[in-house]
Amino acid sequence: MDSKVPGNFHALYDRGFRAARGALPTPAAQMETGNVVLPMGPPRNPNVGGPNNLEHNAGEVWCSTLWEVFVKLVAKHQHEEAERRMLTYVIGGLKLTPPRPTFTQARDGIITAVSTLNPEDLSEVWAGFAKRGMGVDAKSPPSESTSLAGVVESFDTP
């Protein structure tokens, strides 16, 4: 069996609806914007899966991306301060996005919040987004898309 199916969600976590245990980039938990491609590994959960455009599947990519940003901030500021900053950045970013934002619109809102509040954190925040394919040149399908087709990944930072 092919261990990778581009554009298709593989549920490998044996309990729950998440694709893999943990959020950090291990071989079994690598989730990126363009393809949620998980290699063969732990037993599959037969109750989980489906296309990327299902809310939990796409949402897991977004949450993993935000977690990457948070981990970068923890490395710089320690946990308590990173948590405070991350909450401020995400809430501030959401205030700057249109209704039903795409991944890149939400990313841009967070980047704008960081630029305004603490520009010294921009490199860490961009690195977190870029690690999951939402770098500077990433493109998202329109927010009304039901297939999420047309994603262009970018792993570059400004």
Side-chain angles (χ1 to χ4, degrees):
M1 174 181 278
D2 186 7
S3 66
K4 295 182 180 181
V5 179
N8 198 2
F9 186 86
H10 279 243
L12 301 176
Y13 184 36
D14 57 354
R15 291 178 295 284
F17 66 85
R18 292 208 167 90
R21 296 176 200 182
L24 295 178
T26 63
Q30 188 69 39
M31 289 176 276
E32 297 168 350
T33 307
N35 286 328
V36 181
V37 178
L38 300 174
M40 296 299 287
R44 292 178 186 226
N45 181 343
N47 301 315
V48 181
N52 287 343
N53 62 329
L54 292 179
E55 59 277 352
H56 290 294
N57 299 346
E60 191 167 359
V61 173
W62 178 248
C63 290
S64 293
T65 303
L66 291 181
W67 188 257
E68 294 292 350
V69 173
F70 176 66
V71 167
K72 300 285 186 195
L73 292 173
V74 168
K76 183 175 182 179
H77 299 292
Q78 301 302 311
H79 186 94
E80 187 174 336
E81 178 62 15
E83 185 175 299
R84 187 191 66 73
R85 287 178 185 236
M86 189 69 182
L87 287 170
T88 302
Y89 298 158
V90 172
I91 291 168
L94 289 173
K95 292 176 182 179
L96 299 169
T97 62
R100 297 185 62 206
T102 65
F103 282 178
T104 51
Q105 288 170 328
R107 176 209 63 197
D108 292 347
I110 292 170
I111 293 292
T112 301
V114 174
S115 298
T116 302
L117 298 168
N118 295 298
E120 67 275 10
D121 286 344
L122 277 172
S123 63
E124 288 79 16
V125 173
W126 268 116
F129 280 114
K131 189 168 188 175
R132 294 297 183 170
M134 289 185 224
V136 70
D137 294 319
K139 305 285 184 235
S140 295
S143 63
E144 64 274 0
S145 173
T146 58
S147 67
L148 299 184
V151 169
V152 175
E153 292 180 299
S154 169
F155 298 95
D156 297 327
T157 59

